[in-house]
Structures are given as structure tokens and as C-alpha cells.
Amino acid sequence: RQGGYAGIDLLVAGLAFFVAQQPGGLKGFALASKGVGSRIAQCAGRKKLPTSASISRLLAAAGRLEDAEEFVRWLLAQGCACGALLNNPLVHARDALGSAWSVFDFDPTVDARRLRALPEGPDLPQPMRRSEDLCAPGHAGRKRGDTEDCTAMVSHAGAGLWLHASVWAGNTPFAQAIGMAAKTVARAVAWAGLPLTSTVLRFDGAGGNFPAIAAVVEHGVRYLTR
């Protein structure tokens, strides 16, 4: 709406929120930032930080994005103007001949979601998982839970820069996720003006199979796995 908040407002507020590590969630952060929130916003050319209610509405509206994956790719590359960083010689790997390589890492991480020991009684409501829509049945064993989800990150090895993130219910479908990662890497290096032939995507041995490797090669990216 006219005069309302935009994506940059959510980005600035989110960055300030996670850096501050203020207890009490968004409301606690909003209370603690009174008096200084406008100064933080002005660093990004904004008038003020959005309120906790406005942030909730912005997050709810994220589901209306036509292509969320494409937006994430833009936000973490062109959106943050990281071209100079990706081209910096200090973030490149060098081979035995001194040639520069852009190395990226893809590493899904499984998070277990467990029900805690909540009090029970006839006058108490049934426990409910807030992450129910995000999770899938898990497996027994170390670092496992009865439900779990997986976050798949793509990062530049030399710069430590995140370029893409996706969340999956249960374990990540590796071939599908690595294909998205390779597409992200190919677009990022093309945008930054780096040679695709000198780009490597490293991933765990779980992706050392034909479907996963084919999904990487399809985008012209070299791969390294075990």
C-alpha cells in the first residue's frame, strides 16, 4: 500500500533483530529499540523500523511471491551487490598453476523437532507443533527426532557468503536440491562476470550418484564429491 513498508524494511529490521539478540522475540526487540530504531533505519535510507505487527504482516505476505526461489537468488546476490566480493582475489582458491577458482559448498543440515515434556490434564489443551507443516516423520538414532526438517545452504567457500537457502520437510531430496544449488551458482558467477569453467561446487558423498551429478553438470558447473 502507498506509504507502507517494502522488502528493504524487512531486511533492515531482520538484520538489526538478529544482531541485537534481544530476548523476548520481535516484541522484546521493538521495545528495546525505541529511541534508536529510527537511527538504525536511517542507515539504510528508511524513516523508521517496522513494528512487530508490521513484520508479522510482511512475513505472512511472503507466501504470495510468484517465485520465492528466484527472489532468494536475487536477494543474496544482486540484491546485496556482492559482485566486488566474489571478484576479490583474496576469496579465490588457487591450483598448482596459480589459476583462480570460485569454490562453492552445498551442505544440507537436518534439524530434529521434538515434543517437550508439557504438562497434561483434562483442563489443558492438546500439545500442538508450530512446525507441523514444515516437518516430516523422522528416524530413530543419534541427532534424530520423531519429526524433522532440513535446511540446504549454498555458500562461497572463500568469502563465506550465503547465496541460497531452501528448507525441506524431512531429509533433502538431494538431486532436486543440488540442481537448484547449481542453478544458483551458475547465475551468480555469470552476474559477477566470473568464468563458469573455473567454478566448482563441492558437496557431501550423499550426492555422489548419477541423478545428483547430472543435475550439477546440466548447469555447466564443475563438481567435487566423494
Side-chain angles (χ1 to χ4, degrees):
R1 62 184 174 83
Q2 185 177 6
Y5 295 110
I8 183 64
D9 296 286
L10 180 61
L11 181 63
V12 173
L15 180 62
F17 170 74
F18 287 112
V19 169
Q21 296 184 346
Q22 177 70 29
L26 289 174
K27 290 185 178 179
F29 170 72
L31 291 173
S33 62
K34 281 187 176 180
V36 297
S38 60
R39 299 181 185 179
I40 298 174
Q42 287 167 11
C43 294
R46 315 305 292 176
K47 291 183 178 180
K48 62 178 182 178
L49 291 179
T51 64
S52 58
S54 296
I55 292 176
S56 297
R57 288 193 294 270
L58 277 166
L59 293 174
R64 299 200 296 267
L65 287 172
E66 293 183 3
D67 191 340
E69 294 297 333
E70 190 64 29
F71 177 73
V72 171
R73 290 190 184 97
W74 173 86
L75 180 64
L76 296 180
Q78 293 96 318
C80 65
C82 62
L85 177 61
L86 293 177
N87 278 280
N88 193 307
L90 295 177
V91 304
H92 295 160
R94 301 283 174 175
D95 60 20
L97 300 178
S99 300
W101 291 80
S102 298
V103 182
F104 297 85
D105 289 315
F106 174 77
D107 186 19
T109 302
V110 174
D111 295 311
R113 308 295 179 187
R114 300 177 177 88
L115 282 176
R116 300 301 180 186
L118 297 175
E120 299 180 2
D123 57 335
L124 297 176
Q126 291 294 322
M128 180 184 65
R129 297 181 191 271
R130 293 185 176 181
S131 57
E132 188 70 34
D133 296 337
L134 185 65
C135 295
H139 305 279
R142 181 175 175 268
K143 294 175 65 177
R144 301 288 181 166
D146 45 357
T147 61
E148 58 191 33
D149 60 73
C150 191
T151 304
M153 308 293 299
V154 181
S155 61
H156 189 282
L161 178 71
W162 290 354
L163 285 175
H164 192 256
S166 57
V167 181
W168 307 82
N171 283 317
T172 299
F174 212 100
Q176 181 181 355
I178 196 70
M180 294 167 55
K183 181 178 180 180
T184 297
V185 169
R187 288 195 177 189
V189 297
W191 167 75
L194 295 167
L196 188 59
T197 53
S198 299
T199 302
V200 177
L201 179 60
R202 300 187 299 192
F203 46 94
D204 191 75
N209 53 70
F210 176 78
I213 292 174
V216 175
V217 174
E218 177 184 354
H219 297 283
V221 179
R222 299 177 184 270
Y223 64 92
L224 180 63
T225 186
R226 60 177 173 82

